[in-house]
């Protein structure tokens, strides 16, 4: 019997759709009925995570907990949260429910270790970068983490907030491209798409740098937990 | 205040992900928080609709009703159902909840009328074709409906069940292409992608015939109902 996957979503909605699509495309099944049941709360009432972490904005925790509990009531047996920055609040959300919750950043570290990566470049929001959530996990695993210099980091923030979250399909990605190339030139073997809006960014703006996709790692982790064969 | 959209999903999961993505990409908003909240039950316990309609399979209605009620309890203020064949059971599901439900096939007819289409070709499952659910709606709107001859219809069924629902990314789409071209050669001005698995089919197998996408019409209808600006 496959387990029911619950997605705390809306951080942002496109990242949520991306995770759900990856869960679906990577299930090695032959009919609708063999896919795991997935319940999603794309809760756009959750306040911005970076704003809360760095600028004294409203805490996202109460609404994240509301979603976690709603999903548990709807039958979810495991929770996932496709937002890297939101993982700064992981413990508070995970402790609000009785069902387990998978940790996207831990899963990403596992994937990098499995590939033998020793030095990775982080593309993420200011909130994720400054709280050191990737840095701490990577330190524990002896993986060196490079982050972009300030101007390049600003380009990363801008493609996330001014490009994808603002829904601009014609956004000029050249400054972001330069940020990616800067990390690779500095010795990063691969890029960590450390914001769940970035896999859709790579797809929409046709970027093809070597990258590890935490959303994909979370999708595979959820399928494994649900007992669903993977392809 | 934007209304909460509920999606009765899992028929199939990829069609559900496709609808959610279209709702997200067509919202003319500038931040996560401006998107409508969307709750989704990708309920893969719902039995196959065509099987129930044509071969005496188990009724999908009880599980569809379970999903509808769960979504209503989770706060949904309008329901949508991204599965054409499932619309044969529309009245039974809609009458099980107090919130309104949007009808994908009616919305598709509205879109064809708005474009001045007089003759359209239907690509759909045997269940959708034989129950006449499109035929009836089109008759009411004076739009002629062409359906594929038996061998071509078999190719349509096969790409849906043997291709997309079975997750075969390397499926040979040539017989399906011939079915599309047959309808256009017979005078169809455009093709109705009358199975929600077909927009992902067109995308994955790179088909670009003139087509109306009921999933997109449903996404736009849901955004309008939710009070969200559209792009």
């Amino acid at each position: 019997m496959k387990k029911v996957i619950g997605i705390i979503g809306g951080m942002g909605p496109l990242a949520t759709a991306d995770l759900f699509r990856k869960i679906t495309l990577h299930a090695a099944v032959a009919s609708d009925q063999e896919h795991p049941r997935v319940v999603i709360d794309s809760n756009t009432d959750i306040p911005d995570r970076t704003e809360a972490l760095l600028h004294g904005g409203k805490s996202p925790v109460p609404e994240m907990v509301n979603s976690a509990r709603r999903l548990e009531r709807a039958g979810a047996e495991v929770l996932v949260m496709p937002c890297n920055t939101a993982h700064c609040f992981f413990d508070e959300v995970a402790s609000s429910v009785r069902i387990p919750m998978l940790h996207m950043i831990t899963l990403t570290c596992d994937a990098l270790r499995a590939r033998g990566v020793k030095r990775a470049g982080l593309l993420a929001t200011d909130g994720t970068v400054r709280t050191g959530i990737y840095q701490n996990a990577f330190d524990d695993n002896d993986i060196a983490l490079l982050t972009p210099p300030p101007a390049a980091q600003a380009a990363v923030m801008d493609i996330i907030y001014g490009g994808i979250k603002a829904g601009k399909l014609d956004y000029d990605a050249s400054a972001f491209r330069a940020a990616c190339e800067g990390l690779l030139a500095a010795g990063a073997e691969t890029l960590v798409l450390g914001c769940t809006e970035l896999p859709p960014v790579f797809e929409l703006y046709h970027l093809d740098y070597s990258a590890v996709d935490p959303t994909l790692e979370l999708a595979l982790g959820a399928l494994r937990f649900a007992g669903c064969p993977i392809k």
Side-chain angles (χ1 to χ4, degrees), chain A:
Chain A
M1 193 60 189
K2 279 192 285 289
K3 290 203 167 64
V4 179
I5 299 167
I7 304 180
I8 304 174
M11 305 182 282
L14 200 57
T16 309
D18 186 46
L19 174 66
F20 180 35
R21 187 163 186 269
K22 282 170 178 159
I23 289 172
T24 303
L25 287 177
H26 288 274
V29 300
S31 72
D32 292 354
Q33 290 73 26
E34 291 171 59
H35 282 273
R37 192 181 140 216
V38 180
V39 287
I40 303 175
D41 188 9
S42 182
N43 183 0
T44 48
D45 294 334
I46 300 174
D48 190 80
R49 286 66 60 199
T50 295
E51 200 57 32
L53 286 165
L54 300 183
H55 309 295
K58 200 173 164 192
S59 168
V61 173
E63 276 300 330
M64 288 161 74
V65 167
N66 280 347
S67 285
R69 290 184 176 155
R70 267 196 295 257
L71 292 166
E72 187 179 38
R73 277 197 302 274
E77 294 169 275
V78 62
L79 292 179
V80 292
M81 191 163 68
C83 174
N84 288 272
T85 315
H87 277 69
C88 296
F89 309 99
F90 183 91
D91 293 344
E92 290 159 271
V93 181
S95 65
S96 74
V97 289
R98 284 175 303 270
I99 53 177
M101 188 157 143
L102 303 184
H103 196 292
M104 182 162 55
I105 293 162
T106 306
L107 291 169
T108 303
C109 260
D110 295 347
L112 286 166
R113 260 203 344 221
R115 296 187 199 182
V117 172
K118 287 287 169 201
R119 187 191 291 252
L122 179 63
L123 299 166
T125 64
D126 293 347
T128 299
V129 172
R130 292 202 212 149
T131 56
I133 181 166
Y134 266 96
Q135 187 72 66
N136 296 339
F138 278 45
D139 285 350
D140 292 345
N141 286 280
D142 280 333
I143 301 171
L145 187 68
L146 307 179
T147 54
Q153 176 60 29
V156 176
M157 278 300 275
D158 198 60
I159 203 167
I160 294 171
Y161 283 88
I164 201 91
K165 285 189 193 289
K168 287 221 176 83
L169 298 183
D170 59 348
Y171 182 89
D172 174 3
S174 54
F176 179 73
R177 278 182 183 279
C180 295
E181 285 163 15
L183 287 170
L184 295 168
E189 296 157 55
T190 193
L191 302 173
V192 176
L193 306 186
C195 169
T196 47
E197 302 288 22
L198 290 175
V201 159
F202 266 53
E203 203 174 303
L204 284 170
Y205 305 117
H206 306 290
L207 308 175
D208 56 0
Y209 304 108
S210 161
V212 170
D213 173 2
T215 304
L216 176 59
E217 299 308 327
L218 188 61
L220 299 178
L223 284 169
R224 272 193 299 270
F225 190 96
C228 181
I230 288 173
K231 69 180 174 201

